[in-house]
Each structure stands twice: as structure tokens, then as C-alpha cells.
């Protein structure tokens, strides 16, 4: 059984807010085999609640999504430390105590201005400048340490900006790339908080979910790393706007960079090198920018979740 931490109603990271992600896990493993756990704060109550869920449901996989994202973490560093670091330690302890297999996502935000940015490889200097990024590097290092010391089956993917219909902005720096689709179909105008030329790695949620499941199912003997970059595309606000205009020619965008999120974005990789994931366990994205834009517009218009695969 798979237990996913993260509460749909709390800003627990883009991913855990995506009902589609829960749907895709249940589609993969069976509804009765996927449980949504509590949003893991650091306090004992949730720890006890989480432990009860694990024991009572014979959980084997713990998928830990609860985290405060980049921009919202900078606005509340103490809470971000509590959730992203102390909460993670609760989860690591529970995984060890109950011999669970543990998946924890990391992010492009785990790199900083001194990292190689174009592309960023799996192994390089990581000195992120957000509490979100620092907590994610800590998670990578702690998980790998417990793997090497105690054999914990810890697996981690560094996600790009994840784009999906039913992931309301979760306080991330890449949130504009979700909002622009809703604005294009409602007001026809998007106010972008990043410069027009800010290039960031992005991924359709279905690719991100499929990568996660394929990685979770990859035989141990194929893994040369415990933490991998995964990539699909990198685009700028102007490029995604141009692609949307192929469907909605009247979309207008004004660029009004906000210093916090522009500074964060400028410290992140421009592109990811995910050659290790492609070699070790066969990672290959299905959605490029054209397929992403088409699926997002169709999904919003029809008020449904994103396709699992691009339309042929
Ligand atoms: C954020 N969407 O912007 C998240 C993500 C790749 C960035 O971790 O903080």
C-alpha cells in the first residue's frame, strides 16, 4: 500500500494539492491501496497519526510530498523549517522504524546561483538561496545517508516546475505557468511576475507522475544514484505565451517582475541534464511545450483533469 503525505487543502507543495496526482496513483495501484495521509507538521500528533495509518494499513511505500514551496517558504521561514525539515525527519524515522520504501521529491530549487545552470547535472555544487531549496538538499543528503548506513530504500526525483490543471498556485516560483492558462481562457490577459526571458525547466504533471511511478518500480540494480534530475522542456513566459496564442491569438501579457520570485528564478537551473535517469531506468517525457499547451487548454475548457498521455 502507498501512503501519500500532503493535504489537498493546505499549501503542501504543488504536488500534494493536485487531486489528479492522487487519482493517477490510485489508477496505478488501485484505489484501496493508496491512502492520503495528513499534512505532516513536526508535532507529535501528526507523527502518531501517520504511524497509525502506516501500521493499520500495512503501508509499504511512503510518498512524502508535504513541503512549503519556494516563495511561500521565504515568507514564513520558521514554518518552512518545521514542515520541510522537522516534518521530513518524522517521515525518515517512520520509514526506518517500519521498513518502508520512501519517495521524497526534490526540485530545481535544490540548486543555487553557484551551480552549473545550463544544464545542471545530477552531481554538482548545490548552494540554494531559499529555505525550500536548503530543506530539499537536506532531504536528499539525509535520505542518501540512511540508504547507505541502514539500507533504507530512499528514492528522490528533482522535479521541474509541474504544470497541471487542478494544482492551484501553491506559493511556488513557477506558478505563473499554471495561471497563464486560466487567464488566457478567462480575461485574455496575464500579469507575469517574472521577466519575459526567464527560462525554467517545466513538466506536465502526467509526465511527472509517470516518471515517479516508473522510478519507484525500477529494479534496485539499475539505480546508480538515489537522487535524479528529470526533465521534459524548458521555456520562458514569452515562449509559453506565444504557444498559447496559436490557440488564443488575443492573449496579452504584461511583465511586472516581483523581486523575490525573480531573484529565486534567476538562481535556478535554466535546463536539467537528466541523462542518468534516461540511461539507468529509461526515463523519457511524452509532453513537449506544444502538447502541454494543447492539453492544458482542453482540460480547463472541459473542466477535467489532464490527459495521461498527449493526444496523438
Ligand atoms: C516552486 N513549483 O516553484 C515549485 C517547484 C520547480 C519549482 O518546486 O517552488
Amino acid at each position: 500500500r502507498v501512503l501519500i503525505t500532503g493535504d489537498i487543502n493546505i499549501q503542501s507543495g504543488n504536488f500534494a494539492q493536485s487531486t489528479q496526482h492522487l487519482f493517477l496513483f490510485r489508477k496505478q495501484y488501485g484505489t484501496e491501496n493508496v491512502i492520503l495521509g495528513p499534512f505532516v507538521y513536526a508535532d507529535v500528533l501528526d507523527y502518531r497519526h501517520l504511524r497509525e495509518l502506516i501500521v493499520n494499513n500495512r503501508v509499504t511505500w511512503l510518498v512524502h510530498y508535504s513541503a512549503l514551496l519556494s516563495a511561500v517558504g521565504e515568507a514564513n521561514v520558521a514554518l518552512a523549517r518545521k514542515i520541510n525539515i522537522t516534518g521530513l525527519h518524522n517521515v525518515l524515522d517512520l520509514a526506518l522504524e517500519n521498513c518502508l520504501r520512501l519517495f521524497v521529491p526534490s526540485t530545481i530549487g535544490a540548486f543555487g546561483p553557484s551551480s552549473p545552470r545550463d544544464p545542471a547535472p545530477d552531481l554538482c555544487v548545490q548552494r540554494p538561496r531559499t529555505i525550500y531549496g536548503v530543506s530539499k538538499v537536506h532531504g536528499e543528503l539525509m535520505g542518501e545517508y540512511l540508504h547507505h548506513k541502514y539500507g533504507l530504500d530512499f528514492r528522490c526525483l528533482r522535479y521541474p516546475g509541474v504544470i497541471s490543471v487542478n494544482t492551484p498556485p501553491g506559493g511556488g516560483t513557477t506558478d505563473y505557468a499554471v495561471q497563464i492558462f486560466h487567464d488566457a481562457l478567462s480575461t485574455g490577459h496575464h500579469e507575469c511576475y517574472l521577466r519575459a526571458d526567464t527560462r525554467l525547466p517545466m513538466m506536465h504533471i502526467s509526465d511527472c507522475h509517470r516518471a515517479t511511478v516508473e522510478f519507484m518500480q525500477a529494479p534496485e540494480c539499475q539505480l546508480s544514484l538515489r537522487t535524479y534530475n528529470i526533465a521534459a522542456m524548458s521555456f520562458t513566459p514569452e515562449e509559453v505565451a506565444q504557444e498559447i496564442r496559436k490557440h488564443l491569438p488575443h492573449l496579452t501579457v504584461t511583465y511586472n517582475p516581483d523581486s523575490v520570485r525573480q531573484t529565486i528564478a534567476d538562481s535556478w537551473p535554466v535546463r536539467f541534464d537528466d541523462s542518468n535517469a534516461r540511461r539507468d531506468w529509461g526515463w523519457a517525457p511524452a509532453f513537449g511545450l506544444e502538447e502541454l499547451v494543447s492539453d492544458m487548454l482542453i482540460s480547463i475548457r472541459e473542466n477535467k483533469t489532464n490527459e495521461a498521455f498527449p493526444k496523438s
Side-chain angles (χ1 to χ4, degrees):
R1 289 232 165 106
V2 179
L3 174 59
I4 301 177
T5 67
D7 187 311
I8 291 183
N9 303 313
I10 300 176
Q11 281 192 352
S12 57
N14 273 350
F15 236 71
Q17 287 177 330
S18 160
T19 49
Q20 190 213 2
H21 189 59
L22 190 62
F23 163 75
L24 289 169
F25 258 112
R26 287 179 164 163
K27 200 170 165 187
Q28 183 75 34
Y29 291 101
T31 300
E32 71 288 350
N33 292 322
V34 180
I35 306 143
L36 183 61
F39 184 83
V40 182
Y41 281 108
D43 65 56
V44 172
L45 175 67
D46 291 286
Y47 182 85
R48 285 205 193 104
H49 179 193
L50 204 52
R51 181 192 274 145
E52 278 166 24
L53 281 172
I54 288 166
V55 172
N56 297 343
N57 290 284
R58 297 191 309 282
V59 170
T60 52
W61 265 108
L62 189 47
V63 177
H64 181 54
Y65 279 125
S66 299
L68 252 54
L69 297 180
S70 56
V72 69
E74 290 311 291
N76 195 335
V77 174
L79 183 58
R81 278 179 62 187
K82 181 173 176 170
I83 294 171
N84 295 15
I85 295 177
T86 310
L88 170 84
H89 282 234
N90 287 343
V91 163
L92 291 170
D93 290 346
L94 284 166
L96 281 173
E97 283 168 22
N98 297 278
C99 302
L100 303 182
R101 305 173 75 186
L102 176 61
F103 175 83
V104 181
S106 184
T107 163
I108 56 174
F111 297 92
S114 54
S115 308
R117 295 185 66 215
D118 191 5
D122 284 309
L123 296 172
C124 65
V125 171
Q126 289 177 260
R127 288 291 187 278
R129 291 280 173 79
T130 63
I131 182 61
Y132 173 63
V134 167
S135 69
K136 285 299 183 179
V137 173
H138 178 69
E140 294 176 13
L141 296 175
M142 279 303 299
E144 294 187 12
Y145 169 74
L146 296 175
H147 168 73
H148 293 298
K149 183 140 178 108
Y150 300 114
L152 174 68
D153 185 351
F154 168 78
R155 300 189 187 200
C156 178
L157 293 180
R158 296 194 189 104
Y159 289 162
V162 178
I163 312 300
S164 90
V165 169
N166 42 30
T167 303
T173 301
T174 60
D175 288 355
Y176 88 87
V178 175
Q179 190 59 43
I180 193 169
F181 291 98
H182 294 280
D183 293 346
L185 285 166
S186 55
T187 63
H189 177 75
H190 178 68
E191 179 96 9
C192 188
Y193 53 73
L194 295 179
R195 283 193 321 268
D197 64 349
T198 308
R199 184 174 302 284
L200 290 169
M202 299 284 187
M203 186 177 280
H204 188 284
I205 187 164
S206 297
D207 269 345
C208 196
H209 174 74
R210 181 171 53 82
T212 304
V213 171
E214 288 176 3
F215 180 49
M216 287 169 65
Q217 294 175 340
E220 185 78 22
C221 59
Q222 286 178 216
L223 305 184
S224 64
L225 300 169
R226 306 312 299 183
T227 302
Y228 287 87
N229 296 342
I230 51 170
M233 65 191 96
S234 276
F235 57 71
T236 65
E238 190 48 34
E239 287 169 344
V240 66
Q242 286 294 64
E243 188 62 32
I244 293 172
R245 288 190 187 105
K246 292 180 183 174
H247 303 260
L248 298 163
H250 305 299
L251 171 65
T252 56
V253 181
T254 48
Y255 296 95
N256 184 15
D258 99 39
S259 60
V260 171
R261 284 183 286 190
Q262 188 64 56
T263 303
I264 292 173
D266 290 343
S267 72
W268 284 358
V270 171
R271 289 182 184 82
F272 254 178
D273 171 355
D274 63 351
S275 51
N276 290 318
R278 292 171 189 251
R279 184 199 62 232
D280 287 1
W281 44 277
W283 166 239
F287 285 78
L289 179 57
E290 191 178 331
E291 295 82 3
L292 177 126
V293 167
S294 169
D295 180 61
M296 283 294 285
L297 293 175
I298 290 169
S299 301
I300 295 171
R301 277 191 179 118
E302 296 172 5
N303 189 26
K304 66 182 182 59
T305 60
N306 295 97
E307 285 302 320
F309 293 97
K311 295 201 177 312
S312 52

